[in-house]
Amino acid sequence: MNRRDETINIHKVASAAGVSPATVSRVMNHPQMVGAETRRKVTDAIRETGYIRNRAAQAMHGRRSATIGLIVPTVDYAIFASLVQSFGDKADELGFTLLLASHGYDLGREYQILRKFLEHRVDGVALIGLDHTEDSFALLASQRTPAIAVWNHDPASRLPSVGARNAEAGAVAARHLVALGHRRVALLFPPDTENDRARLRRSAVLSVLDAAGIEVPPEYHATSYYDIAPAKAAATRLLDLDRPPTAILCGNDVIARAAIYAAAARGLSIPGDISIVGIGDFQGSADMVPALTTVRIPATRIGAEAATRLIDMIVSDHHPEDTGVGGCEFPVELVPRDTTDVPKEASERKEPTQGRPSTVDSV
Amino acid sequence: MNRRDETINIHKVASAAGVSPATVSRVMNHPQMVGAETRRKVTDAIRETGYIRNRAAQAMHGRRSATIGLIVPTVDYAIFASLVQSFGDKADELGFTLLLASHGYDLGREYQILRKFLEHRVDGVALIGLDHTEDSFALLASQRTPAIAVWNHDPASRLPSVGARNAEAGAVAARHLVALGHRRVALLFPPDTENDRARLRRSAVLSVLDAAGIEVPPEYHATSYYDIAPAKAAATRLLDLDRPPTAILCGNDVIARAAIYAAAARGLSIPGDISIVGIGDFQGSADMVPALTTVRIPATRIGAEAATRLIDMIVSDHHPEDTGVGGCEFPVELVPRDTTDVPKEASERKEPTQGRPSTVDSV
DNA sequence: ACGGCCGATGAAAATGTTTGCAAAACTATT
DNA sequence: AATAGTTTTGCAAACATTTTCATCGGCCGT
């Protein structure tokens, strides 16, 4: 249909429609500025020639590139999958195209990706979490590129942040276990050197436990990557201790799922023998058997809101350092389900507070 | 640091380095063409000015945009998360930036996204599956944009395809159940109108069963979206039939996980009372308890290979219609684990072929 | 009927880069 | 020392678009 190396540009469309290139451009960008009849002719010409506008040339002129970047630690393992999905959908809906990359929890790589995105002249960038290298902050400032921090929220953040208070999420989970009467609580968290979310959750958990007079011995501190296999192994080590914990508080739902498998493999009943609590309320946690007690962080809503706000900053020409574009906090919420109960010792003395068919619970 | 509206371009860098813009360009694109001393001066100037090259302008010149597009049905639910991750990582490694979008199993939206990507002048596009609208194929051909089909493989595909034979995956799963002696086999699949992968798997399953003289009654045909909750409900309906199946063959591992939960919630033991087989071998399936019997489709390797091939097509200027850039087939492989066994009736007559601690199995 | 105004359109400058061509600066060879 | 050859560099055109400015009609009010 199209002859070889005959790439159709705005001039071709213009002559096909019998107007000037300027008019074609206006039809596409400011339709109300052009007469109805001319508009129709141009639209027809665009369709007939099969013209595809060149956003690169458009962006070069200093106009928006209509792209936004999202940089996540990882796409795998459902942690950020929901966020990527909803962020991308919203961006799409608002006419933007998503550039995506992951840095594998390496903030140095995050900087490199950020640079690359800026080379492509993204109109804005969303980063996960509040911690970034000084280089990254400087780069963003020097380019005056709108940027937003997603997932965690802190009003004092250097970037407007859209997300939940991760410290609060940890605290809520800890308070739940304390309220149930657990005193032997183990922590199973990912390494938190380059992960402010995990760090905040973990330290909040520790201070709640400390305030309740609960000490967490060194052997109750377990670490594992966001991956089922190693988390299961780490949980198994906790369960095999001479004096095992009565509850395991997990850094997120994926790790909690691994802990459930570890307990099941050891033939332990949940929550009879061991209580397990996650953080995140990922897809599927509600429908697992046993259903996971967790702290909800509304990933889908956060993703959509983050995209909306970032694009709002872009179209209204707000820059990061401008005030008045503060973040947005999503409340965290305990979702008590079937993997937590009073500890065994306590339940031998008092009545169980919740009764459910034990066959299901023990699964 | 940078004064307002003083955007630094290649000319600024050139005068800072005391050379011409052409030289700066060459330092960045063909470093070997420029003298060592000059190169050093230019590199310094780039660093000092904080220059960020403008890929849009570069792309406009007809050079590569250094972006590739990936269009998936969904990012959520681990199905394509691994693929997105490995595809993106490989693209990154090879110097390309990833544009990502999802169409929610709507091939009309896929076309729209494709258009948008072409507006951004992506150097190539990867699509999931072999089925696409005629419009999409025509668009790709008219723009002569390298494109590749991922996930499913068929040597007769219109696009070079990198993936597994999904029909074979279904057949392998079905043969496994037949070999174990199951004759009451239910199918739990996603709707397959816009999903050639599911369609191929499903029809292959049916022909294997048919060849084995096994008829699948209408009530054994269940359908559910790729989502834990509805899949669990659908599986529960299968289990509650007057004459329930002895095995459920699931369209993928996510649905299989839901089926396991459904069985557990009914207090059924797996694989004692019911065998369940998935397709995909997603992250976590190996480490579940009970570990899921499934058919491995190596998502991570497929993603990396697809990115490599697509970029190869781009840099070697191969176009889709050129021959010799055929696809690449990844073999599927049965991974027998702990959710399948001989059916109960059979096992009452013969010895169970596999013995494992029943407490674990029943979880 | 005429001056002023307004809406629609075109011409041309501007955007930031790459590259073909030519000039210039070396290096090696006689 | 002159020449031929090679490497390095600069000039300017080209890429596809947007936007400012100017122009050209047509319309309205007086």
Side-chain angles (χ1 to χ4, degrees):
Chain A
M1 195 180 290
N2 298 311
R3 304 186 58 74
R4 167 171 303 267
D5 95 297
E6 174 186 311
T7 152
I8 31 202
N9 55 22
I10 204 171
H11 289 93
K12 300 248 173 59
V13 177
S15 54
V19 298
S20 76
T23 304
V24 178
S25 171
R26 275 189 278 256
V27 167
M28 299 183 2
N29 299 298
H30 314 283
Q32 79 292 349
M33 292 181 69
V34 55
E37 172 61 11
T38 320
R39 189 159 55 219
R40 198 193 48 72
K41 276 193 308 193
V42 171
T43 329
D44 288 354
I46 289 177
R47 187 158 17 75
E48 280 161 25
T49 54
Y51 171 64
I52 297 204
R53 69 206 287 192
N54 188 332
R55 292 265 183 197
Q58 180 175 259
M60 211 209 55
H61 196 83
R63 222 159 178 290
R64 326 228 109 87
S65 66
T67 56
I68 56 181
L70 172 61
I71 309 180
V72 296
T74 173
V75 187
D76 237 339
Y77 289 114
I79 305 172
F80 295 116
S82 297
L83 185 84
V84 170
Q85 177 78 42
S86 64
F87 189 95
D89 283 351
K90 183 56 84 176
D92 222 54
E93 185 189 324
L94 298 176
F96 282 73
T97 297
L98 182 71
L99 268 59
L100 178 80
S102 65
H103 57 65
Y105 295 96
D106 173 348
L107 295 179
R109 263 191 79 195
E110 183 184 61
Y111 170 78
Q112 295 299 340
I113 294 168
L114 186 57
R115 246 194 111 81
K116 198 165 77 163
F117 280 8
L118 259 17
E119 289 186 355
H120 286 288
R121 295 297 188 266
V122 289
D123 295 328
V125 202
L127 306 174
I128 300 296
L130 271 24
D131 265 12
H132 308 285
T133 64
E134 206 48 51
D135 283 347
S136 298
F137 284 120
L139 192 58
L140 249 12
S142 77
Q143 300 300 113
R144 316 198 92 240
T145 302
I148 200 168
V150 192
W151 199 244
N152 202 354
H153 175 73
D154 184 339
S157 162
R158 295 177 67 171
L159 258 26
S161 62
V162 172
R165 282 187 196 254
N166 277 257
E168 183 61 14
V172 165
R175 279 189 220 112
H176 174 59
L177 292 178
V178 170
L180 285 172
H182 288 273
R183 302 198 56 85
R184 278 152 52 196
V185 177
L187 272 56
L188 179 46
F189 272 75
D192 59 14
T193 43
E194 310 237 331
N195 182 341
D196 55 279
R197 287 83 63 208
R199 190 161 57 243
L200 285 165
R201 292 176 189 177
R202 195 160 167 283
S203 63
V205 167
L206 289 174
S207 51
V208 166
L209 294 180
D210 190 59
I214 297 171
E215 195 193 344
V216 181
E219 68 271 22
Y220 279 13
H221 285 272
T223 295
S224 162
Y225 286 100
Y226 277 137
D227 197 347
I228 296 271
K232 195 173 148 192
T236 303
R237 282 192 296 276
L238 288 174
L239 297 172
D240 288 349
L241 289 172
D242 287 340
R243 196 167 169 280
T246 60
I248 302 181
L249 199 162
C250 301
N252 67 44
D253 279 18
V254 172
I255 289 180
R257 215 176 109 200
I260 290 175
Y261 294 146
R266 276 286 178 269
L268 296 171
S269 112
I270 301 169
D273 297 321
I274 179 97
S275 285
I276 291 172
V277 53
I279 296 180
D281 196 23
F282 298 161
Q283 298 274 22
S285 293
D287 299 293
M288 301 178 53
V289 178
L292 180 66
T293 295
T294 186
V295 179
R296 175 172 301 148
I297 298 182
T300 299
R301 282 166 55 214
I302 290 176
E305 179 69 24
T308 308
R309 293 213 169 212
L310 180 58
I311 290 173
D312 195 60
M313 283 167 70
I314 293 167
V315 300
S316 67
D317 260 332
H318 273 311
H319 289 289
E321 68 264 30
D322 297 350
T323 51
V325 286
C328 162
E329 177 177 344
F330 284 81
V332 300
E333 179 193 1
L334 179 73
V335 190
R337 290 197 276 243
D338 305 341
T339 57
T340 49
D341 200 348
V342 296
K344 209 166 195 174
E345 291 82 349
S347 70
E348 278 160 8
R349 277 171 257 134
K350 350 174 194 173
E351 283 295 292
T353 54
Q354 305 157 278
R356 267 165 277 88
S358 67
T359 47
V360 173
D361 283 353
S362 68
V363 166
Chain B
M1 192 182 292
N2 298 312
R3 306 187 56 75
R4 169 171 303 265
D5 93 300
E6 173 186 310
T7 150
I8 32 205
N9 54 22
I10 204 172
H11 289 92
K12 300 249 173 59
V13 177
S15 55
V19 298
S20 78
T23 304
V24 178
S25 171
R26 277 189 276 256
V27 167
M28 298 178 14
N29 299 298
H30 313 284
Q32 79 292 350
M33 293 181 67
V34 55
E37 171 62 11
T38 322
R39 190 160 54 219
R40 199 192 49 72
K41 277 194 306 194
V42 171
T43 329
D44 287 356
I46 288 177
R47 187 158 16 77
E48 279 161 26
T49 53
Y51 170 63
I52 296 203
R53 69 206 288 192
N54 188 333
R55 291 266 183 196
Q58 181 176 260
M60 212 208 53
H61 194 81
R63 222 160 177 291
R64 328 227 109 88
S65 67
T67 57
I68 56 182
L70 173 61
I71 309 182
V72 296
T74 173
V75 187
D76 236 341
Y77 289 114
I79 305 173
F80 295 115
S82 297
L83 185 83
V84 170
Q85 177 78 41
S86 65
F87 189 96
D89 283 351
K90 182 56 81 175
D92 221 56
E93 185 189 323
L94 298 176
F96 283 71
T97 297
L98 181 73
L99 268 58
L100 178 80
S102 65
H103 57 66
Y105 294 96
D106 172 348
L107 295 179
R109 264 192 77 197
E110 183 184 61
Y111 170 77
Q112 295 299 338
I113 293 167
L114 186 57
R115 246 194 111 80
K116 198 165 77 163
F117 280 8
L118 291 174
E119 289 185 355
H120 286 288
R121 294 297 189 266
V122 289
D123 294 328
V125 202
L127 305 175
I128 299 297
L130 271 24
D131 265 12
H132 308 284
T133 65
E134 206 48 52
D135 283 347
S136 298
F137 285 120
L139 192 58
L140 249 12
S142 78
Q143 300 302 113
R144 315 196 94 239
T145 303
I148 200 168
V150 192
W151 200 242
N152 202 352
H153 175 74
D154 184 339
S157 162
R158 296 176 67 170
L159 258 27
S161 63
V162 172
R165 283 188 194 254
N166 276 258
E168 183 59 17
V172 165
R175 279 188 221 114
H176 174 60
L177 292 178
V178 170
L180 285 173
H182 289 272
R183 302 199 55 90
R184 277 150 55 193
V185 177
L187 272 56
L188 179 46
F189 272 75
D192 59 15
T193 45
E194 310 236 330
N195 183 340
D196 53 280
R197 285 85 62 208
R199 190 162 56 243
L200 285 165
R201 291 175 189 177
R202 195 159 166 282
S203 62
V205 167
L206 288 174
S207 50
V208 166
L209 294 180
D210 190 58
I214 297 171
E215 194 192 347
V216 182
E219 67 272 21
Y220 279 12
H221 285 273
T223 294
S224 161
Y225 286 101
Y226 276 137
D227 196 347
I228 296 269
K232 193 172 148 192
T236 304
R237 283 192 296 274
L238 288 173
L239 297 171
D240 288 349
L241 288 173
D242 287 340
R243 195 166 169 280
T246 60
I248 303 180
L249 199 162
C250 301
N252 67 44
D253 280 18
V254 172
I255 290 179
R257 215 176 107 200
I260 291 175
Y261 295 147
R266 276 286 177 270
L268 296 172
S269 113
I270 300 170
D273 297 320
I274 179 101
S275 285
I276 292 172
V277 53
I279 296 180
D281 196 23
F282 298 161
Q283 299 272 21
S285 292
D287 299 293
M288 302 178 50
V289 178
L292 180 66
T293 295
T294 186
V295 179
R296 176 172 302 149
I297 298 181
T300 300
R301 281 167 53 214
I302 290 176
E305 180 69 23
T308 307
R309 294 214 168 211
L310 180 58
I311 290 173
D312 196 60
M313 284 167 70
I314 293 167
V315 301
S316 67
D317 260 330
H318 273 310
H319 288 288
E321 68 265 33
D322 297 349
T323 52
V325 287
C328 163
E329 177 177 344
F330 284 82
V332 300
E333 179 194 1
L334 178 72
V335 190
R337 290 197 277 243
D338 305 341
T339 58
T340 49
D341 201 348
V342 296
K344 208 166 195 172
E345 292 82 350
S347 71
E348 278 159 9
R349 277 171 259 136
K350 350 176 193 173
E351 284 294 293
T353 54
Q354 303 157 278
R356 265 164 278 88
S358 67
T359 47
V360 173
D361 283 353
S362 68
V363 165

